Amino acid sequence: MQPDRENRWQVDSATSLLTFSPFTNKRKLLDLGERLGISTFLVIASSLDMFYKQLDVIDNCTGSVDPDRLWWRRLVLIVDQEVPSNEIMKHREHILHDQVPQILERYGMSHTPAVMFVCASGKHYQEYTLQCKQVLRQLIDSSHRLGRWRPDEDEDDFLDAAVIHLSPQGKMPVRSMTKYNK
């Protein structure tokens, strides 16, 4: 199993400290949820089957501690588009109009998760990469405003959230505790 990784992530003038933690079992997910809380569940895949595989792991791991599937509100589906450039728009329409509704039906959910499309090639790759980082930053910030997901927490309770900001020079992190009220 891969260890947790903390990375400084700079988008425009904002730098944050992010913890990435891949998990494949219930104990790992619950430990992370209890220790830090989870602001965003990022699921990256290029096919519906790959999304199902990863979402099944999350759903199975959270089922007994989150029967209302509150984690779903913090879900961001990232579609890795491995298609020729002349088929990108058609592929996106297929994902949004056909596959996302299938995902919602499979898990019995009515709230459509955020969906982001990425492509690792093209003549404007550098500009595109910056735009992807900006959009992903907005999606993560949006999830963060919900507070952090923790096992066995009532969504209506106040949630503690550690907000970590690095100075523009990338020096000592400034940490603050914030209370969120849903």
Side-chain angles (χ1 to χ4, degrees):
M1 179 167 28
Q2 295 176 327
D4 294 354
R5 292 181 325 199
E6 289 188 346
N7 293 328
R8 290 181 183 184
W9 192 44
Q10 183 166 354
V11 179
D12 298 330
S13 62
T15 303
S16 299
L17 184 63
L18 299 180
T19 301
F20 294 95
S21 183
F23 59 89
T24 55
N25 63 59
K26 184 175 186 171
R27 188 71 254 152
K28 175 71 174 172
L29 175 67
L30 297 180
D31 285 346
L32 181 64
E34 291 167 356
R35 183 169 45 99
L36 298 173
I38 300 171
S39 64
T40 308
F41 289 85
L42 297 176
V43 177
I44 304 167
S46 58
S47 72
L48 186 60
D49 289 337
M50 291 172 67
F51 278 120
Y52 283 159
K53 183 177 179 180
Q54 294 179 60
L55 291 171
D56 285 348
V57 169
I58 298 171
D59 198 45
N60 290 332
C61 290
T62 60
S64 63
V65 296
D66 186 6
D68 295 327
R69 292 182 171 141
L70 299 175
W71 64 270
W72 191 267
R73 293 178 49 209
R74 294 165 178 82
L75 175 64
V76 176
L77 300 176
I78 300 178
V79 181
D80 184 2
Q81 289 192 284
E82 299 174 349
V83 296
S85 60
N86 63 336
E87 295 180 22
I88 287 178
M89 292 310 293
K90 184 178 177 182
H91 183 251
R92 288 180 183 180
E93 288 175 8
H94 173 68
I95 297 286
L96 294 172
H97 295 286
D98 299 330
Q99 293 186 345
V100 169
Q102 290 176 26
I103 291 170
L104 293 173
E105 183 178 334
R106 178 179 176 131
Y107 296 99
M109 302 307 293
S110 59
H111 172 77
T112 302
V115 179
M116 180 177 171
F117 296 92
V118 296
C119 183
S121 62
K123 61 182 179 180
H124 302 291
Y125 178 71
Q126 294 292 52
E127 179 183 327
Y128 179 76
T129 300
L130 176 60
Q131 291 171 352
C132 285
K133 285 181 179 181
Q134 291 167 336
V135 169
L136 184 57
R137 172 74 184 223
Q138 291 171 357
L139 293 171
I140 290 172
D141 286 349
S142 177
S143 292
H144 189 71
R145 284 190 291 276
L146 294 172
R148 303 227 177 192
W149 177 88
R150 287 184 166 78
D152 293 323
E153 286 261 350
D154 184 351
E155 189 76 358
D156 295 325
D157 289 347
F158 283 97
L159 300 176
D160 290 324
V163 180
I164 302 173
H165 300 282
L166 297 178
S167 68
Q169 297 80 21
K171 296 189 179 173
M172 196 63 165
V174 177
R175 298 167 192 255
S176 62
M177 292 301 293
T178 306
K179 294 274 189 184
Y180 288 92
N181 183 4
K182 302 294 161 286

